[in-house]
Amino acid sequence: MAALHDKFGRAITDLRISITDRCNYKCVYCRTGNEGALYGDLPFEDYLRMARVLVNMGITKVRLTGGEPLLRNGVVELVRELAKLKTQGLKPRSNNGFGDAAEAAPFQNSHGSGEPLDIALTTNGHLLADLAKPLKDAGLTRVTVSMDAVDPDRFARITRVPNGYDQVLAGIRAARRAGLWPLKVNCVLMRGFNEDQIIPFGMFAREEGVTVRFIEFMPLEEGRTWAPDTVVTLDEILARMAEYRPLVEIPHGRSETARRYRFEDGIGEIGIIAPVSHPFCGHCSRIRITSDGKIRTCLFSVWDHDLHAQMRRGASDEELAEWIRDVVTKKEERHHIGEPDFVPASRTMVHIGG
Ligand code: SAM
């Protein structure tokens, strides 16, 4: 079977599956303070079948997300089942970005088929302390914890949850003890809420031995509060961190979303994910499945593609693969954040799966 790529020659190797759009946090950059309507979720067998079909098409990395994925009972079992899937040994030859037709088939067969799938999870960490070891034992490769302040009061103001800070910190430490390593901590910076946390997070990265990744705020929030000046940009983050300690850029892979930096003395690493000021759409290798089984080819898509409806009508795995291949050809070239023709995505982040 030919491996998956879009019409711009980008290899699609990275799948994100949202397993619920419920969340126990109401972070200011993501949600309003109110409980909104939910799209709902599916039995785990359905996500497993979707994953199996896509792994057979060249996906090498699956990230579980939400909503908050750890709210779903049985998530450890899901990871155990995913860990039984093996990649097809289809290695991307290049991810050449925009429209280079000369490399329109960016895969070549390697001899090493059957490698374990890379299984990652993004969580707010609230329930991680007890689940880190079972998840690791079940086959989870990596975890990313979202944490937007290293100060308990500020943390409560951002998440709208009192007393969450200590629990998340315990989750991070439990993940480390369980060997879920290297551990990434994601911090969305939003002006007026936490831009003063840049240096404290630099210290945190050094003290806890985690990679802290700052993410530029994107217009995917429920409250539609985004404006260009609410974004704390890569340049600003770097300038602020340099007041604390000198940084050295680490060379990074083309499809990596984060620019990486280490502190000059070799202790501690940070990353910056800058989709607004430095878009990386040309190297995007991702598609997403929402909790209700829709494929999204871009965070900023204005429509979904109903994979679960294809399953309900009784499509075989081969038919699903053909249908997915067609959907992937429709992957957007890039986002249009900040441009006059920007159209908001048809779903907000909590209902997509970040
Ligand atoms: N509940 C999990 C968590 O907190 O990590 C997974 C879902 S959450 C939607 C996934 C990621 O999206 C988190 O790192 C979160 O900080 C990020 N996120 C949510 N809204 C965002 C926005 N408007 N701009 C940038 N990142 C956002």
Side-chain angles (χ1 to χ4, degrees):
M1 188 187 281
L4 201 54
H5 60 278
D6 72 4
K7 67 172 181 283
F8 302 105
R10 294 174 294 195
I12 306 301
T13 53
D14 183 348
L15 171 66
R16 299 193 174 198
I17 307 178
S18 170
I19 59 172
T20 177
D21 60 343
R22 285 182 294 129
C23 192
N24 46 349
Y25 279 18
K26 296 192 179 73
C27 301
V28 288
Y29 53 81
C30 188
R31 309 189 58 200
T32 67
N34 304 319
E35 206 57 69
L38 296 172
Y39 288 82
D41 50 40
L42 301 175
F44 283 153
E45 306 89 83
D46 290 350
Y47 300 127
L48 273 170
R49 182 174 175 211
M50 294 170 183
R52 194 181 66 236
V53 169
L54 275 150
V55 167
N56 282 338
M57 299 174 77
I59 291 291
T60 55
K61 184 167 138 193
V62 173
R63 177 174 292 275
L64 299 179
T65 181
E68 173 46 44
L70 298 188
L71 287 178
R72 281 245 8 215
N73 289 332
V75 61
V76 173
E77 273 315 304
L78 175 64
V79 168
R80 203 185 314 283
E81 291 303 313
L82 282 172
K84 292 177 186 164
L85 301 179
K86 297 283 181 254
T87 65
Q88 293 303 296
L90 300 162
K91 293 247 160 66
R93 195 168 56 219
S94 91
N95 188 348
N96 58 319
F98 294 107
D100 181 350
E103 296 212 53
F107 283 88
Q108 59 188 13
N109 251 316
S110 82
H111 299 295
S113 66
E115 284 174 23
L117 191 62
D118 183 0
I119 308 168
L121 176 107
T122 303
T123 171
N124 60 30
H126 196 83
L127 299 173
L128 186 59
D130 290 340
L131 284 168
K133 176 130 181 22
L135 284 166
K136 169 73 180 169
D137 292 347
L140 190 72
T141 329
R142 286 167 308 118
V143 68
T144 301
V145 180
S146 304
M147 186 185 185
D148 308 298
V150 286
D151 161 73
D153 292 336
R154 186 69 61 84
F155 185 86
R157 187 174 161 226
I158 292 171
T159 57
R160 299 186 173 112
V161 168
N163 310 322
Y165 181 77
D166 288 342
Q167 231 162 303
V168 173
L169 196 56
I172 289 172
R173 290 176 177 162
R176 193 185 162 154
R177 274 197 307 279
L180 287 165
W181 198 255
L183 191 63
K184 290 176 186 153
V185 171
N186 279 356
C187 164
V188 177
L189 288 173
M190 187 181 181
R191 198 174 309 286
F193 280 92
N194 59 350
E195 70 268 41
D196 63 342
Q197 295 289 296
I198 294 171
I199 291 178
F201 264 118
M203 295 174 179
F204 183 83
R206 291 163 64 83
E207 282 159 15
E208 295 287 332
V210 298
T211 302
V212 173
R213 301 192 312 172
F214 299 102
I215 306 179
E216 289 179 347
F217 176 38
M218 291 181 277
L220 287 165
E221 77 293 4
E222 289 178 335
R224 301 288 184 217
T225 49
W226 188 92
D229 63 359
T230 57
V231 181
V232 183
T233 63
L234 175 138
D235 291 345
E236 199 176 331
I237 298 164
L238 284 179
R240 189 85 185 100
M241 197 63 94
E243 290 169 18
Y244 167 52
R245 278 175 180 276
L247 289 168
V248 180
E249 187 159 5
I250 303 171
H252 64 282
R254 295 179 71 192
S255 64
E256 272 184 75
T257 52
R259 295 184 182 215
R260 298 169 55 201
Y261 306 85
R262 64 173 172 78
F263 290 100
E264 203 179 42
D265 65 0
I267 302 168
E269 179 179 327
I270 65 155
I272 305 180
I273 302 176
V276 180
S277 69
H278 294 74
F280 37 81
C281 307
H283 307 298
C284 181
S285 55
R286 247 155 269 122
I287 57 170
R288 291 177 162 80
I289 295 176
T290 62
S291 60
D292 56 335
K294 312 273 168 63
I295 292 185
R296 289 183 69 88
T297 46
C298 173
L299 270 177
F300 292 93
S301 292
V302 291
W303 50 70
D304 307 317
H305 305 274
D306 197 343
L307 177 57
H308 193 241
Q310 299 300 316
M311 288 165 55
R312 283 198 310 270
R313 75 164 180 83
S316 66
D317 285 1
E318 290 69 27
E319 287 167 337
L320 290 182
E322 265 326 292
W323 183 87
I324 291 169
R325 207 173 289 288
D326 183 53
V327 164
V328 165
T329 63
K330 300 179 180 126
K331 186 169 164 64
E332 295 77 350
E333 188 176 25
R334 64 186 183 89
H335 70 63
H336 294 262
I337 301 175
E339 297 174 21
D341 60 347
F342 176 73
V343 178
S346 54
R347 292 188 185 209
T348 55
M349 188 66 121
V350 69
H351 303 295
I352 298 172

